[in-house]
Each structure stands twice: as structure tokens, then as C-alpha cells.
Amino acid sequence: MTFKTDDLRAFLQKENGPASASRWQVILPNISGDVKPGGGTVEWDGTINDMNLVCTAARLPGIDVITVDRQIGMIPQKVAVGKTNTPVSLTFYLTNKYTSRKYFQEWMETVVGTGAPYTAGFLNLYGKDVTIQQLDKLGQKVYEVKLQQAYPINLSEIELNNAAATAAAEFTVTLQYTTYEVVALGNNL
């Protein structure tokens, strides 16, 4: 097949242009009042919409197909036996109030208690839906994924150094989930 720039241009025009990786939004769940397995409830009073403003990076989920090796005669084959969902990472700027970090720490405390005997909660209590939307240049949704029963499994360390005095501190949270749903968006998909 011969490459023609006119064909590429026509295809991109038909597809409303290339997707922009720099336009997205994350919709996080309200965790206020959720039960902690070690005792108590979450008393988080921040605004969830503000968390989207300081989200600097998000990843859409991937899928890994689980395979096993099978040998038929002299020909080795890989055969699919299942799938796993890859964890999703979100990166946030830190403010001087550490609001976004506190949110995920509180949420993690609903997954596993902070003191001995480190009691684990129940997935139906701490698993929450998280939505990640990719937007076009006009702010319209072009792709939306809802992570079902998502919960944080890792908060990255926060590096403190004096290399860049003007750089904002960041941290990354990793979310696990049971499955995800691609939400159809009218004629955009």
C-alpha cells in the first residue's frame, strides 16, 4: 500500500481530527461518610470538582490477555484463558493544604485500617465508580470510561528536593478496579 498524505488528511477530517492527549477530566467519587474498617468514618470536606483542576495526568485503562502455552505436534501456540485489567494512574499537583493527597489517604483508610490488626474493608463499601473522559478541542466528550468498583492501591512517595524552586510538588495514585465500561457518546464513537 502506498502512503498518500491526502488519504491521511481525508481520514483525519472524517474522524474530526486526531485525539488530543492534553484534554481530559476525571470524575472522582464522594467518600465523605464512608466507613473505615478500623473504626470511624471518612470526614473529608473538600470539593471533588476542585480535584479535577489539579489532576496533571490520567491514563485510560488497558487490558492484558492471559495466555497459556499449548503444544500441538511441533507447533507451539498461546491460547487465551482470561484477561486482567491494568491499574490506572492519576497524577495530581499538591497544594499547601495537601487536599488531593488527604482525599486518597482517607479513601485508602476505607480499604485497610491504619492500625493493628490492619483490618480490610469490604469491596462493596470502598469500591467506587471513577470516570475518565477524553475531550476534544471544544471540551466535548469523545471517549468516556467508567472504572467500576475502583479503589486506590498505591500512593506514590513525594519527592522533596531543591533542584527546582518553582516546580510544584506532585504525587501519583494507582487505582485498581473490577472492570470498566466504555460509555457510548452519541455519534462521537
Side-chain angles (χ1 to χ4, degrees), residues 44-189:
W44 190 77
D45 59 358
T47 304
I48 295 169
N49 293 337
D50 290 345
M51 299 274 288
N52 190 53
L53 297 173
V54 293
C55 185
T56 64
R59 291 185 176 266
L60 291 171
I63 300 172
D64 287 332
V65 175
I66 302 168
T67 61
V68 294
D69 292 331
R70 182 173 88 173
Q71 183 91 19
I72 298 179
M74 298 298 291
I75 302 170
Q77 293 181 332
K78 293 205 176 280
V79 179
V81 294
K83 71 172 182 116
T84 59
N85 296 316
T86 59
V88 168
S89 297
L90 305 172
T91 303
F92 294 87
Y93 281 136
L94 283 168
T95 63
N96 282 321
K97 291 186 177 183
Y98 270 53
T99 303
S100 53
R101 178 75 176 203
K102 289 176 187 175
Y103 171 84
F104 287 105
Q105 283 180 236
E106 288 286 327
W107 191 358
M108 287 186 94
E109 289 179 16
T110 68
V111 178
V112 177
T114 58
Y118 303 104
T119 308
F122 294 99
L123 179 61
N124 65 333
L125 296 177
Y126 61 74
K128 306 282 185 182
D129 290 350
V130 173
T131 302
I132 304 170
Q133 300 170 337
Q134 185 166 10
L135 309 173
D136 65 11
K137 292 178 182 178
L138 300 174
Q140 301 297 311
K141 294 182 275 186
V142 295
Y143 192 76
E144 178 175 328
V145 173
K146 183 184 289 187
L147 307 176
Q148 297 174 346
Q149 291 187 310
Y151 57 95
I153 59 169
N154 178 271
L155 284 177
S156 70
E157 66 277 357
I158 298 169
E159 182 179 350
L160 304 174
N161 64 48
N162 52 4
T166 59
E170 293 182 323
F171 78 98
T172 299
V173 61
T174 304
L175 300 175
Q176 188 59 57
Y177 49 95
T178 55
T179 189
Y180 69 87
E181 171 188 6
V182 176
V183 180
L185 299 172
N187 295 329
N188 291 343
L189 292 180

